[in-house]
Amino acid sequence: MSDKGRPILAAFQFLSRFPVKAELDFTPELLRRSAKYYPLVGAAIGLVVGAIGIAANMILPSLPSAVIMLIVWVWLTGGLHLDGWMDSADALLSYRSRDKMLEIMKDSRVGAMGVLACVLLLMFKMTLISSLLDQGEFSAGVALLTAPVWSRWFMVWAMRIWPTARQGEGLAVRFHGIKNRDVAISTGFALLISAIGILAAFAWDSGAFQWQLLVIYFVLLPLVALGVGALAASRMSSRLGGLTGDTYGALNEGLEAILLLLGLLNL
């Protein structure tokens, strides 16, 4: 295996359950080099979930199709980001001291607030996916492709901008040192995938193309991912003294839902 190929394989192996056959040592250097490929992992997840959902929607109503898609979505990620969402909810909604919140996040057990946050998030995503399917294959396909791309893009941005909460320990520390060049490359991937998704959907059904979709998926989506993500990350960082691996996952989950919601806008 070439050294250049290891980071992209690491990104897929770390963030998903895609069958990546490679023996990798997840050193801090490899993790940092792999981060710029996170939008590609999001695109792969979106393509698989979208394809399964559109196929299911041909024979089933939108609601059970949405449930099937959500099951596949969670399985493809191994629940990695949901775990971060639940741990972050348990800690941040406890309104304890900084040290106590960090201690809660390290606990492998899930509390009541984590369970509630997970259930509500999954319910919200299910209704969003169902509504997108009701709008048609074009809207659903582009939304399901771009939302996981830009949510994972923001994770790279967050790793670059905000400090780590646990100095010298924890998963987040292993990503410390990501460069502006990595963020730029990640941004390029996200923009390219968004453009390809819009053009592919247009080629599939030219009558469905509207200029509003370009605004939503190529302009508004990145801006909302950056704006909402930065607001949430700043708030988390101010309370925890930085970000952790769990908060990266929480940011990804929250942004995915918000970005799916944008697909339902009627501009």
Side-chain angles (χ1 to χ4, degrees), residues 81-116:
H81 308 304
L82 273 177
D83 180 68
W85 173 265
M86 290 187 288
D87 286 344
S88 296
D90 276 334
L92 294 169
L93 297 179
S94 70
Y95 298 100
R96 303 287 186 88
S97 66
R98 172 187 177 274
D99 290 340
K100 184 61 178 177
M101 285 191 290
L102 291 175
E103 182 181 333
I104 290 172
M105 295 173 83
K106 289 181 68 175
D107 194 334
S108 60
R109 295 169 296 180
V110 179
M113 295 310 299
V115 173
L116 287 172

Side-chain angles (χ1 to χ4, degrees), residues 6-207:
R6 294 175 70 86
I8 188 170
L9 294 178
F12 275 86
Q13 201 173 82
F14 184 68
L15 290 187
S16 76
R17 284 188 171 177
F18 286 111
V20 177
K21 303 297 182 181
E23 292 292 332
L24 300 172
D25 181 14
F26 285 97
T27 62
E29 180 189 2
L30 182 59
L31 286 171
R32 288 193 297 269
R33 292 173 59 198
S34 70
K36 58 179 170 287
Y37 297 109
Y38 283 5
L40 300 183
V41 181
I45 291 172
L47 283 172
V48 173
V49 171
I52 290 174
I54 291 171
N57 201 45
M58 292 178 179
I59 56 176
L60 294 171
S62 61
L63 191 55
S65 297
V67 174
I68 292 171
M69 294 168 72
L70 202 53
I71 292 171
V72 174
W73 201 329
V74 172
W75 181 83
L76 281 175
T77 63
L80 175 66
H81 308 304
L82 273 177
D83 180 68
W85 173 265
M86 290 187 288
D87 286 344
S88 296
D90 276 334
L92 294 169
L93 297 179
S94 70
Y95 298 100
R96 303 287 186 88
S97 66
R98 172 187 177 274
D99 290 340
K100 184 61 178 177
M101 285 191 290
L102 291 175
E103 182 181 333
I104 290 172
M105 295 173 83
K106 289 181 68 175
D107 194 334
S108 60
R109 295 169 296 180
V110 179
M113 295 310 299
V115 173
L116 287 172
C118 181
V119 171
L120 292 173
L121 176 70
L122 292 176
M123 288 176 60
F124 186 41
K125 281 189 172 182
M126 180 183 67
T127 61
L128 292 173
I129 295 170
S130 177
S131 298
L132 286 166
L133 290 173
D134 287 336
Q135 280 193 345
E137 295 176 356
F138 178 80
S139 296
V142 179
L144 289 165
L145 174 66
T146 54
V149 167
W150 285 103
S151 64
R152 283 159 183 77
W153 165 83
F154 185 78
M155 289 173 65
V156 185
W157 180 266
M159 292 169 184
R160 174 68 184 91
I161 298 299
W162 284 273
T164 57
R166 297 187 181 97
Q167 301 300 324
E169 63 174 300
L171 178 62
V173 174
R174 307 186 75 186
F175 289 94
H176 182 69
I178 286 179
K179 297 178 171 52
N180 290 332
R181 179 175 178 272
D182 298 319
V183 178
I185 292 173
S186 177
T187 304
F189 281 135
L191 289 170
L192 180 61
I193 293 165
S194 297
I196 291 174
I198 293 171
L199 291 174
F202 175 56
W204 178 270
D205 183 6
S206 59

